[in-house]
Amino acid sequence: MPNLDKSLVADLPMFAGVEPDDLNDILREAQSIRYQKGASVFQQDEEAHSFFILLHGHLRVMKVTPDGQQVVVRYVTPGEIFGIAMAMGRGTYPATALAVVDSLALVWPSAAWPRLVAKHPSLAVNTIQTVGSRLQDAHTRVVEMSTEQVERRVAHALLRLAKQAGRKGEDGIRIDFPISRQDVAEMTGTTLHTVSRILSAWEDQGLVESGRQRISIRDPHKLFILAERPSG
Amino acid sequence: MPNLDKSLVADLPMFAGVEPDDLNDILREAQSIRYQKGASVFQQDEEAHSFFILLHGHLRVMKVTPDGQQVVVRYVTPGEIFGIAMAMGRGTYPATALAVVDSLALVWPSAAWPRLVAKHPSLAVNTIQTVGSRLQDAHTRVVEMSTEQVERRVAHALLRLAKQAGRKGEDGIRIDFPISRQDVAEMTGTTLHTVSRILSAWEDQGLVESGRQRISIRDPHKLFILAERPSG
DNA sequence: GGGCTTGTTTGATCTGACGCAAACTGGGAG
DNA sequence: CTCCCAGTTTGCGTCAGATCAAACAAGCCC
């Protein structure tokens, strides 16, 4: 993995507790690959040949049902490890990852994983924490889907997006990659029509400002109230 | 951990690749504790003082929302590790675990985890796989909640219960612990009323046979068809 | 810059499932 | 054996949100 600023990578949670020398050893086996906007990084059910760390850009991870419906599992933000299907004991990827903007990732062959983990036990510990926190997120989402109605689910989704990919601008916190009504619908288990109606209503109230594949949160606090309040 | 048949424990997936001597080392730090039906093993938001392996019985793991609604996260079956909040980097349990029948578990202090993992790297590898497979399950559930309507969600839930806690009887596959309509509702994000209606209909069609806190699947194949078919 | 594609808005209608309410029943406690 | 309670069944009215349908707009390509 030539010509890459290691100081950035060294601070990632995945490499916490890893000595600089060991880090070099780990990075030596990786290559960096660019993905153009719209390109797929890996496909659902494809053999899990590699695992990755995102350096730049944003990915959408989604699952497709047998009858063609899509569900957005999550968005990957820089610094995150992803595609670790092999480490989780699977032979294939459980979902598809797509670059929503031009992106750059470190890529290791899955075959390197057992060796790396054996040599650098911190990796295993950090991976447990990473996967564990994703499990929490997934459970949170199950709880939301079970108990909240659509408007609040959308509010929660937007707040989450703002936290992990929000960029402060003059019109509030803007989600830093193109995202459509359809995408939000696939994150919250509803339809683009309903999302559109909700965003229109929020726009009238001055809560958000949005357009074609673009959402900014003007009033995060009010949105938060709306997300938490049983019926507000 | 005195007087326990180690041969049973040795075959658990969590201890795959662990040498017998090492296993003794691990088990030495555990104690076994009994939980009466209805007793809580740990509580949501409580400090994560211990982690566990279930030896006998069944636990219901659930989350409670701020406004008091419950969601069943999963049922724990014998052989499974649970309560590993600490390993996942959390200080408190994210959910409550309740014994639905008299149960028996091995219990380790959470403080022992780092030491055990450091000494027996297989534990970390196995834990990643365990947590990973739970993450898959959770994502599957999110997809179901997003794309399927209630009847199919209930069908999937029952099939899953049958697979992990089914006991063959004369009236089909019976779920091996007391489970109410309310419980099924909390697993599928619906109400006990709707579950009751669905089960009644299925009973008329000879798909299931059920009663007070008791469900048997008479015709798993037809139920499976119903669960998978877009509109059957 | 004109046309086309892709995403968005908004209206009208329909319905699955929820909420409420009330009756019913299995099985344990005394 | 009877009472009682928790769990279950079932009917009915209602509504959040899906579905269907159509017009509309922002970019992008040529």
Side-chain angles (χ1 to χ4, degrees):
Chain A
M1 197 222 51
N3 307 335
L4 200 88
D5 185 354
K6 268 144 198 141
S7 66
L8 291 172
V9 181
D11 290 334
L12 298 181
M14 180 51 55
F15 296 129
V18 174
E19 297 299 317
D21 283 358
D22 292 342
L23 185 60
N24 279 326
D25 181 52
I26 294 168
L27 292 177
R28 192 179 307 124
E29 307 206 30
Q31 54 176 318
S32 61
I33 300 187
R34 311 179 107 279
Y35 298 92
Q36 285 198 310
K37 175 175 173 168
S40 108
V41 179
F42 55 76
Q43 292 273 342
Q44 187 168 346
D45 297 331
E46 175 190 6
E47 189 208 333
H49 45 74
S50 307
F51 66 94
F52 312 77
I53 289 182
L54 188 64
L55 294 177
H56 253 329
H58 289 280
L59 310 181
R60 182 174 66 233
V61 181
M62 62 212 182
K63 276 182 164 262
V64 186
T65 64
D67 56 311
Q69 292 193 76
Q70 293 191 357
V71 175
V72 173
V73 173
R74 68 188 179 110
Y75 281 88
V76 181
T77 342
E80 286 188 68
I81 192 170
F82 66 96
I84 49 175
M86 203 66 112
M88 301 191 309
R90 294 185 49 109
T92 60
Y93 296 113
T96 296
L98 217 73
V100 292
V101 294
D102 289 350
S103 299
L104 177 67
L106 287 179
V107 186
W108 286 260
S110 292
W113 178 258
R115 182 162 20 95
L116 290 174
V117 174
K119 209 164 164 191
H120 312 286
S122 293
L123 285 184
V125 172
N126 295 338
T127 302
I128 293 173
Q129 299 196 0
T130 299
V131 179
S133 101
R134 275 179 214 169
L135 181 59
Q136 296 313 316
D137 292 347
H139 281 158
T140 300
R141 206 163 148 191
V142 168
V143 171
E144 279 180 15
M145 300 267 309
S146 299
T147 62
E148 296 180 355
Q149 43 191 53
V150 174
E151 189 176 32
R152 294 217 285 155
R153 298 209 300 270
V154 174
H156 274 124
L158 255 52
L159 288 170
R160 233 172 284 135
L161 284 169
K163 189 184 287 182
Q164 69 172 71
R167 190 191 204 99
K168 282 199 183 62
E170 47 194 62
D171 53 353
I173 305 168
R174 175 165 173 168
I175 295 166
D176 200 24
F177 52 81
I179 184 166
S180 70
R181 309 291 186 259
Q182 177 69 39
D183 294 329
V184 176
E186 288 175 7
M187 296 178 70
T188 51
T190 180
T191 63
L192 79 160
H193 306 274
T194 298
V195 172
S196 178
R197 282 177 230 272
I198 289 171
L199 288 184
S200 293
W202 287 351
E203 191 124 23
D204 292 346
Q205 302 170 237
L207 282 178
V208 303
E209 197 281 314
S210 72
R212 195 188 179 78
Q213 305 211 84
R214 180 177 57 76
I215 305 176
S216 293
I217 300 174
R218 270 199 177 292
D219 194 335
H221 183 64
K222 271 196 189 154
L223 194 60
F224 180 79
I225 300 290
L226 199 152
E228 297 301 317
R229 262 285 159 77
S231 71
Chain B
M1 196 222 53
N3 305 335
L4 199 88
D5 186 356
K6 269 145 195 139
S7 66
L8 290 172
V9 180
D11 290 333
L12 298 182
M14 181 50 55
F15 296 128
V18 174
E19 297 299 318
D21 282 359
D22 291 343
L23 185 59
N24 279 326
D25 181 52
I26 295 169
L27 292 178
R28 191 176 310 123
E29 308 206 28
Q31 54 176 319
S32 61
I33 301 187
R34 312 180 107 280
Y35 298 92
Q36 285 198 311
K37 175 174 174 170
S40 109
V41 178
F42 55 76
Q43 292 274 343
Q44 188 168 345
D45 298 329
E46 174 190 9
E47 189 206 335
H49 44 75
S50 307
F51 66 94
F52 312 77
I53 289 183
L54 188 64
L55 294 177
H56 205 56
H58 288 280
L59 310 181
R60 182 173 67 232
V61 180
M62 64 212 182
K63 275 182 165 262
V64 186
T65 64
D67 57 310
Q69 292 192 77
Q70 292 192 357
V71 175
V72 173
V73 173
R74 67 187 180 108
Y75 281 88
V76 181
T77 337
E80 286 188 69
I81 192 170
F82 65 97
I84 49 175
M86 204 62 115
M88 303 193 307
R90 292 186 50 110
T92 60
Y93 296 112
T96 296
L98 217 73
V100 292
V101 295
D102 287 350
S103 300
L104 177 67
L106 287 179
V107 186
W108 285 261
S110 291
W113 178 259
R115 182 162 20 95
L116 290 174
V117 174
K119 208 165 167 191
H120 312 286
S122 293
L123 285 184
V125 172
N126 296 337
T127 302
I128 293 174
Q129 299 196 1
T130 299
V131 179
S133 100
R134 274 179 217 169
L135 181 59
Q136 296 313 314
D137 292 347
H139 281 158
T140 300
R141 207 163 148 192
V142 168
V143 170
E144 280 179 15
M145 300 267 308
S146 300
T147 63
E148 296 179 354
Q149 38 191 55
V150 174
E151 188 177 32
R152 296 218 284 155
R153 298 209 301 269
V154 174
H156 274 125
L158 255 52
L159 288 170
R160 233 173 286 134
L161 284 169
K163 187 184 289 181
Q164 68 171 74
R167 190 190 206 99
K168 283 198 184 63
E170 47 194 60
D171 54 352
I173 305 168
R174 175 163 173 171
I175 294 166
D176 200 25
F177 52 81
I179 183 166
S180 69
R181 309 290 185 260
Q182 178 70 37
D183 293 331
V184 176
E186 288 175 7
M187 297 178 70
T188 52
T190 181
T191 63
L192 80 161
H193 306 273
T194 298
V195 172
S196 178
R197 283 176 233 273
I198 289 171
L199 288 184
S200 294
W202 287 350
E203 190 124 24
D204 292 345
Q205 303 170 236
L207 283 178
V208 302
E209 199 282 315
S210 72
R212 195 189 179 76
Q213 305 211 87
R214 178 176 58 74
I215 304 177
S216 293
I217 300 175
R218 272 201 175 292
D219 193 336
H221 183 65
K222 271 195 188 153
L223 193 61
F224 181 79
I225 300 289
L226 200 151
E228 297 300 318
R229 261 284 159 75
S231 70

